[in-house]
């Protein structure tokens, strides 16, 4: 499991994918989300601008990321 240290109240999903280099571009991040590759707290997440907060657990293409 990988941890992402949140320094603000939240981070948008598309921005997190770019920051962690899971997606190379914003367009690539949107495709990953639209294709249902992101599971947030056990549920598929299709909102590109979903606000991720501390405690959220994401599964993205086989990788688990916890927001701390």
């Amino acid at each position: 499991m990988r941890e992402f240290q949140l320094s603000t109240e939240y981070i948008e999903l598309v921005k997190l994918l770019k920051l962690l280099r899971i997606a190379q571009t914003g367009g690539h991040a949107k495709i990953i989300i639209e294709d249902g590759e992101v599971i947030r707290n056990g549920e598929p997440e299709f909102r590109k601008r979903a606000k991720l907060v501390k405690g959220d657990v994401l599964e993205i293409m086989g990788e688990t990321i916890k927001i701390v």
Side-chain angles (χ1 to χ4, degrees), residues 10 15-16 23 27 32 39-40 50 52-53 56 59 63 67:
Y10 67 88
K15 290 181 182 178
L16 179 73
I32 291 171
I39 306 298
R40 178 185 183 188
L52 306 176
V53 296
D56 281 342
E59 294 174 45
E63 184 174 1
I67 309 296

Side-chain angles (χ1 to χ4, degrees), residues 49-66:
R49 300 212 181 272
K51 294 178 180 179
L52 306 176
V53 296
K54 291 180 181 179
D56 281 342
V57 177
L58 304 170
E59 294 174 45
I60 305 167
M61 299 171 17
E63 184 174 1
T64 303
I65 301 161
K66 182 173 184 176

Side-chain angles (χ1 to χ4, degrees), residues 27-49:
H28 184 219
K30 290 176 183 178
I31 291 169
I32 291 171
I33 297 164
E34 289 171 358
D35 286 350
E37 297 286 341
V38 179
I39 306 298
R40 178 185 183 188
N41 301 326
E43 298 289 328
E45 181 59 78
F46 295 102
R47 296 173 298 160
K48 298 167 195 72
R49 300 212 181 272

Side-chain angles (χ1 to χ4, degrees), residues 15-33:
K15 290 181 182 178
L16 179 73
L17 294 179
K18 290 190 298 184
L19 266 177
L20 295 178
R21 300 190 191 279
I22 293 171
Q24 291 122 15
T25 65
H28 184 219
K30 290 176 183 178
I31 291 169
I32 291 171
I33 297 164

